[in-house]
Amino acid sequence: MEQIKYIIKERAEKIVLPEKLGFGQIFTDHVFEMDYNPKKGWHNPTIKPIDSLPMHPATSFIHYGQTIFEGMKAFKTINDEVVLFRPDVHIQRLNNSARRICMPEVDVNFVVEALKELVAIDSDWIPAKRGEALYIRPFMFGTDPALGVRPSFEYKFVIVLSPVGAYYPEGFKPVKILVQDDYVRAVRKGLGECKTAANYAASLLATEEAVRKGFTQVLWLDGVEQKYLEEVGTMNIFVTFKNEVATPNLNGSILPGVTRRSVIQILKEWNMNIVERPISIQEVISSYEKGDLLGVFGTGTAAIISSVGWLTYKDKNMTLNNGQPGELDTKLFNELTGIHRGEKEDEHGWIYKVEKKDFAVS
Ligand SMILES: *Cc1c(COP(=O)(O)O)cnc(C)c1O
């Protein structure tokens, strides 16, 4: 692979972040980009000022949806260091998504190094308060200007960075979830286990309808029988029963979350009985009625851990843990955010340090 080319924007004034950051609203000064064609492979890796992408109206991904992405975070630790959380696993997952829709893979080590460079250059954009982070969005799309239905020959890979606010600015709060059975997100052997734009397109209407009814998110059931839990919104789901913590097994239609994987490992280390298995909505309801359902929580990069306070399925309304965050959910949230912020030892090798660059204006 060639050396990265740098085109650095000189900043005249200091970066001032808005008080309310929100999610994905503002972007840093630079992006990483590279191009692919079958002859040269990946080439032209460049870090440069963020700008619009010029595009032919027939660009293939716009028409046939060959587009995938990742979502991860960089954090400022309590010692003012800059760290990434498991970037290698995220880029490996990007390659899994790429293979599934006939896109070229990237070199994981090269992309992780490029990502560290980009984050180092824009490190003054990383907010430092608890819960705040620099959201990292790598993505890839087919760029052939042609309307024939076939995989694109040429591709672009881009990484953009966005400082994001705390998901829970007023403290860790449970969410209200509607179990969705009017629509499905994905089916087994489809695209469910890949981070493709297509899965999000399939999910928008159901979520809009749930939000209109006063819910925060939807809980998806399996696409075949609509009996088994799959995921909640953009998160994986865990159910705390009296005698075990369970999460749906990765059956092909569920996105294998990096947070999910990390939570499973932590729970094992805490000697909890954590099992990956099918969980039916009927089992959740009958456990609730017996008083054996202690809580439900979601896991994902954006919220880290999200406690479910209220769960509605058809005309059955369940209030979990009196609408308060569960004990385990809070403990996991503190553990993971503690690792991100450097308050807790990184015993797993999940944290990648970013060496700061001199040319970041301070
Ligand atoms: C990204 C994503 C998740 C969470 O994955 P993390 O790696 O933990 O951020 C869960 N479900 C869906 C559908 C997703 O796209």
Side-chain angles (χ1 to χ4, degrees):
M1 191 74 191
E2 311 152 58
Q3 296 270 312
I4 299 172
K5 192 167 132 200
Y6 294 85
I7 307 167
I8 301 298
K9 174 183 162 181
E10 293 293 334
R11 264 201 159 263
E13 71 283 357
K14 244 183 118 137
I15 295 155
V16 182
L17 293 173
E19 192 56 38
K20 282 213 166 74
L21 282 165
F23 185 86
Q25 304 288 318
I26 57 169
F27 297 91
T28 67
D29 290 327
H30 298 92
V31 299
F32 172 81
E33 271 186 40
M34 60 180 180
D35 299 304
Y36 178 92
N37 68 38
K39 229 165 136 187
K40 287 194 194 164
W42 287 108
H43 60 281
N44 203 19
T46 311
I47 289 177
K48 61 184 192 183
I50 191 166
D51 200 2
S52 305
L53 296 163
M55 238 172 254
H56 191 280
T59 298
S60 66
F61 87 93
I62 306 175
H63 301 270
Y64 305 124
Q66 248 189 325
T67 174
I68 57 174
F69 64 94
E70 268 304 318
M72 64 181 121
K73 279 176 172 173
F75 302 91
K76 267 222 175 106
T77 70
I78 50 170
N79 303 317
D80 202 39
E81 286 180 320
V82 174
V83 300
L84 303 173
F85 186 73
R86 311 193 78 175
D88 51 334
V89 184
H90 281 279
I91 302 302
Q92 282 157 10
R93 186 171 69 186
L94 180 92
N95 278 342
N96 291 342
S97 303
R99 275 195 300 275
R100 178 62 179 83
I101 57 172
C102 303
M103 301 170 87
E105 294 181 39
V106 297
D107 181 309
V108 174
N109 292 332
F110 177 79
V111 168
V112 169
E113 286 311 309
L115 174 57
K116 283 192 195 162
E117 289 287 295
L118 179 65
V119 169
I121 288 165
D122 280 348
S123 65
D124 285 348
W125 285 90
I126 309 177
K129 284 193 224 119
R130 178 174 297 278
E132 295 178 335
L134 184 69
Y135 184 77
I136 299 166
R137 168 57 58 89
F139 58 104
M140 191 201 296
F141 54 95
T143 54
D144 284 8
L147 291 179
V149 180
R150 56 157 176 81
S152 185
F153 295 125
E154 306 198 345
Y155 294 87
K156 195 178 259 305
F157 174 83
V158 188
I159 305 175
V160 297
L161 307 175
S162 171
V164 296
Y167 205 86
Y168 305 102
E170 288 107 45
F172 190 54
K173 267 201 192 136
V175 293
K176 204 172 163 186
I177 301 289
L178 176 68
V179 182
Q180 178 56 256
D181 62 349
D182 286 336
Y183 306 95
V184 298
R185 186 190 82 96
V187 290
R188 232 165 286 171
K189 303 186 183 181
L191 299 179
E193 63 185 358
C194 304
K195 236 172 157 72
T196 62
N199 288 335
Y200 280 82
S203 77
L204 295 175
L205 181 59
T207 311
E208 280 296 292
E209 290 184 6
V211 167
R212 223 172 291 141
K213 290 181 194 156
F215 296 91
T216 324
Q217 279 280 4
V218 299
L219 192 160
W220 298 103
L221 298 177
D222 75 278
V224 180
E225 296 176 88
Q226 289 177 260
K227 243 169 96 178
Y228 297 97
L229 312 193
E230 294 245 307
E231 355 192 354
V232 40
T234 58
M235 293 182 287
N236 294 111
I237 190 162
F238 286 73
V239 183
T240 312
F241 295 107
K242 212 170 194 167
N243 298 316
E244 67 174 3
V245 184
T247 189
N249 51 309
L250 300 176
N251 61 3
S253 56
I254 293 171
L255 200 284
V258 178
T259 320
R260 173 188 184 278
R261 182 163 155 179
S262 309
V263 161
I264 290 172
Q265 192 168 333
I266 290 170
L267 291 176
K268 282 184 180 158
E269 287 162 8
W270 288 351
N271 289 318
M272 310 256 326
N273 183 22
I274 163 77
V275 269
E276 297 175 66
R277 64 168 175 85
I279 307 165
S280 72
I281 185 67
Q282 281 315 324
E283 179 188 358
V284 171
I285 292 169
S286 59
S287 301
Y288 177 79
E289 283 169 350
K290 278 189 274 175
D292 288 352
L293 183 65
L294 304 185
V296 174
F297 61 92
T299 64
T301 295
I304 317 295
I305 302 287
S306 185
S307 237
V308 176
W310 300 269
L311 195 59
T312 296
Y313 176 64
K314 299 187 192 287
D315 51 11
K316 176 89 192 161
N317 295 305
M318 294 172 268
T319 301
L320 307 169
N321 200 37
N322 299 315
Q324 296 300 313
E327 201 182 310
L328 182 63
D329 320 11
T330 310
K331 204 175 151 199
L332 282 166
F333 182 75
N334 291 338
E335 180 72 16
L336 281 166
T337 53
I339 294 171
H340 297 153
R341 286 177 59 78
E343 295 161 343
K344 299 220 157 137
E345 189 79 32
D346 169 36
E347 289 163 5
H348 309 94
W350 291 344
I351 293 296
Y352 282 50
K353 264 189 206 140
V354 172
E355 299 303 331
K356 287 191 202 164
K357 291 260 170 187
D358 287 340
F359 42 85
V361 175
S362 53

